[in-house]
Amino acid sequence: MATAAPRWAHVTTQGHAYRNGIFDCLSIPGFILLSTAAGFGALARDAGFSLLNAVTMMATFYALPAQVVMVDQLARGGSVLAGTFSVLITAIRMLPMVVAIMPQLQAPRRDLWRQTLAVHGVAVTGWIEGMRRLPAVPSHVKLSYFLGLGGGLVGVTVLGTIIGFEAAGSLPPLLSAVLLFLTPIYFLLSMLATIRGVSEALPVVFGCALGPVFFLVAPGLDLLLTAVIGGGAAYAIARFRRSAAGQGGGT
């Protein structure tokens, strides 16, 4: 069972824990989010969205893949309904994260509204940092701490969006292009960093291979087709490998 770290030895108030959470978001993960949010801000401006649109999407979606998908769909003339459906598909990945972290955020029933707010901070970075840091936080202030951490990360992404949006209009074209590519590069590097075997590598390989093909063949459905076909093929191959390994082990 994890024990409280020295920095938590004298923390007894919810406010102190909340401030610690905000302070912890101002670290390397927060800087990465700031940079990638700047990439999204530049992308939104390039796609013709207003600053208010971009900031509202960042604050409410708080999941860069969902925002990129929505911007991509609307910029191509797709309907809001199609974009919403695509965003819903990308958001399904958040459910296991919420289920995994909620036992750390137990609170009295009267604090249900605070737990609901905390769930909004569960994206990849918030989840990773929460799972890494929460075991050392005293149980009675875990929820307040994560509210500070998650809220701080949301604030960082909003700030990054504003910076990227404004900078994209004043920087040289080359630097604006760099901002635009920060987001996809970050996602690709994050996926590569988490690969632990063939079954995890296959979706990335199929996505990189099929994405450009479907962009040329079916521009309006490229992301969906890449996810369904590439992901389905990767799942089928991984399942076949596990079945073959099981049969081989039994002979």
Side-chain angles (χ1 to χ4, degrees), residues 135-175:
V137 180
S139 58
H140 68 287
V141 294
K142 285 181 186 287
L143 180 56
S144 294
Y145 171 77
F146 190 76
L147 282 169
L149 178 66
L153 291 175
V154 172
V156 165
T157 58
V158 169
L159 176 61
T161 300
I162 296 173
I163 293 173
F165 189 95
E166 295 296 339
S170 58
L171 292 177
L174 180 59
L175 292 182

Side-chain angles (χ1 to χ4, degrees), residues 43-44 46-49 69-78:
L43 175 66
D46 184 71
F49 286 78
V69 166
M70 179 63 84
V71 168
D72 177 76
Q73 290 292 323
L74 296 182
R76 297 183 188 185

Side-chain angles (χ1 to χ4, degrees), residues 221-240:
L221 298 171
D222 53 336
L223 292 177
L224 181 60
L225 290 174
T226 300
V228 173
I229 296 176
Y235 173 78
I237 293 173
R239 185 169 182 176
F240 175 78

Side-chain angles (χ1 to χ4, degrees), residues 56-199:
T56 301
M57 290 177 64
M58 177 61 74
T60 55
F61 286 17
Y62 183 53
L64 282 169
Q67 292 157 208
V68 172
V69 166
M70 179 63 84
V71 168
D72 177 76
Q73 290 292 323
L74 296 182
R76 297 183 188 185
S79 67
V80 174
L81 182 60
T84 302
F85 179 71
S86 300
V87 168
L88 178 62
I89 293 176
T90 67
I92 293 175
R93 66 195 173 91
M94 302 294 184
L95 181 59
M97 297 183 193
V98 173
V99 172
I101 203 170
M102 284 309 294
Q104 299 267 10
L105 305 177
Q106 293 298 318
R109 182 174 294 274
R110 65 177 182 275
D111 283 339
L112 180 61
W113 68 273
R114 298 176 71 223
Q115 288 180 305
T116 303
L117 286 177
V119 168
H120 186 58
V122 180
V124 174
T125 302
W127 183 80
I128 292 174
E129 289 302 298
M131 295 297 288
R132 183 170 72 90
R133 297 175 183 272
L134 282 171
V137 180
S139 58
H140 68 287
V141 294
K142 285 181 186 287
L143 180 56
S144 294
Y145 171 77
F146 190 76
L147 282 169
L149 178 66
L153 291 175
V154 172
V156 165
T157 58
V158 169
L159 176 61
T161 300
I162 296 173
I163 293 173
F165 189 95
E166 295 296 339
S170 58
L171 292 177
L174 180 59
L175 292 182
S176 296
V178 171
L179 280 177
L180 289 174
F181 277 101
L182 276 177
T183 300
I185 289 174
Y186 169 70
F187 290 143
L188 179 60
L189 292 178
S190 298
M191 288 187 292
L192 292 175
T194 59
I195 290 175
R196 297 294 182 268
V198 175
S199 61

